Amino acid sequence: MTRNIFLSILIWLLEIVLVAALISEQWTRSIQATEERMLLDYFGAEKATELRKTAMDGFEALFVRTGIRDSVYGYFIPTEGERQRSRGFEDVGRYDLFPFLQGRLDVLFESLYQMIHRAVVTAAWLPFLGVAVVPFAIDGLVRRKIRQTNFAYSSPVAHRYSLYVILGIAYLLLVVWTLPVPVPPQSIPIGLFVVACALNVLLTNTQKRI
């Protein structure tokens, strides 16, 4: 299990690297514009604006006001003053390498903003998770309690695979935050509903002696 979790995290980090290396700036901005239209249609103007403002505040708190973004750009891309102090190398990479690096860094930070925005949208659905999970969890516990009083069989296979479904949905939500395609806001409550159903099966088929 630990090895699988480690491998999953590596795959997720590789996805972030590939997005930063291969996706164009135009495509990244197109994704943002499409998702904002979907949020506007689904939540309305007021809620969509609130989510966007929360995401922007989070991005600025993490990367702008801390100086991380400026430091990263400054590390990879020389300023005009640094160019002039480098006698004989003033124009090295000016028209090819450094514009390319700046474009990649732009995509990286645009992707980080999009990741924060999607996390904010996910957090907006957490009350729905509570409403969905509690009835399913209570039903699963009641079913398990009934099985403890008779000879009903608790399936270890159903228990194991329902746990895999919960972990898989949690991992997919993490991957979706960095996916280089528009993600409909409706996909989040659907995933949370599947988690609630899997939790019901997990609790129902928990071994009787536990």
Side-chain angles (χ1 to χ4, degrees), residues 78-171:
T79 63
E80 190 60 34
E82 290 172 334
R83 290 180 184 278
Q84 297 305 320
R85 290 194 296 270
S86 302
R87 296 301 180 91
F89 295 92
E90 294 91 344
D91 292 326
V92 172
R94 181 190 291 271
Y95 305 107
D96 43 34
L97 176 60
F98 294 121
F100 171 79
L101 289 178
Q102 180 163 352
R104 295 303 90 204
L105 293 177
D106 289 343
V107 170
L108 174 62
F109 283 103
E110 290 282 354
S111 299
L112 289 173
Y113 166 76
Q114 191 67 22
M115 177 179 173
I116 294 173
H117 188 269
R118 289 172 176 175
V120 169
V121 174
T122 302
W125 284 105
L126 289 182
F128 172 82
L129 176 62
V131 172
V133 164
V134 171
F136 280 89
I138 293 175
D139 180 73
L141 291 173
V142 170
R143 289 174 182 271
R144 176 176 175 268
K145 196 68 177 178
I146 293 172
R147 291 187 177 195
Q148 287 178 320
T149 62
N150 54 35
F151 295 98
Y153 177 69
S154 296
S155 171
V157 175
H159 182 274
R160 183 183 309 114
Y161 280 98
S162 60
L163 177 61
Y164 289 163
V165 168
I166 293 173
L167 294 176
I169 293 295
Y171 179 68

Side-chain angles (χ1 to χ4, degrees), residues 41-57:
D41 294 338
Y42 195 79
F43 287 110
E46 183 178 353
K47 187 63 176 180
T49 301
E50 177 188 340
L51 293 172
R52 184 166 57 251
K53 183 179 183 303
T54 303
M56 183 58 68
D57 290 343

